[in-house]
Amino acid sequence: ASIGDLAANLAVARESPVMAVSACFAGPLFNILFAFGLPLGILTYQTPTWFISFKLTGLLHWLVWSHIAAIVAMLVVVPLNHWRLGVRFAYVLLF
């Protein structure tokens, strides 16, 4: 996230709260997918077997599983909470 993202999300939120939620998710998601997708796509294309292996050790292993847990929590809790996110859920995701 950046100051530019914050300013854009605030401008969108003033116009339409529904679009603000989409903007808050879409901006970081695009950044992550583009930041990982482009280099890995190029690397995959340059690799003769088109197979890239990653070794998950230590902190990287913990980070991957914590991100998966946060995504699953959001996929379960948000619809059950009638698409409203409370402060408690934000604290759970932060810690």
Side-chain angles (χ1 to χ4, degrees), residues 28-57:
L29 182 63
F30 173 77
N31 291 337
I32 290 170
L33 293 177
F34 191 74
F36 286 116
L38 185 64
L40 287 177
I42 292 170
L43 182 63
T44 303
Y45 182 74
Q46 292 174 347
T47 305
T49 60
W50 285 43
F51 181 75
I52 301 170
S53 64
F54 293 96
K55 189 172 187 178
L56 297 179
T57 58

Side-chain angles (χ1 to χ4, degrees), residues 20-89:
V21 173
S22 299
C24 289
F25 282 104
L29 182 63
F30 173 77
N31 291 337
I32 290 170
L33 293 177
F34 191 74
F36 286 116
L38 185 64
L40 287 177
I42 292 170
L43 182 63
T44 303
Y45 182 74
Q46 292 174 347
T47 305
T49 60
W50 285 43
F51 181 75
I52 301 170
S53 64
F54 293 96
K55 189 172 187 178
L56 297 179
T57 58
L59 181 61
L60 185 59
H61 189 265
W62 184 84
L63 288 172
V64 167
W65 284 110
S66 65
H67 278 85
I68 290 171
I71 291 169
V72 169
M74 289 176 63
L75 287 173
V76 172
V77 172
V78 173
L80 290 176
N81 204 20
H82 304 289
W83 304 100
R84 295 181 185 180
L85 299 175
V87 174
R88 287 186 298 165
F89 186 67

Side-chain angles (χ1 to χ4, degrees), residues 9-23:
N9 288 342
L10 288 175
V12 170
R14 287 188 183 114
E15 294 297 320
S16 170
V18 174
M19 289 300 296
V21 173
S22 299

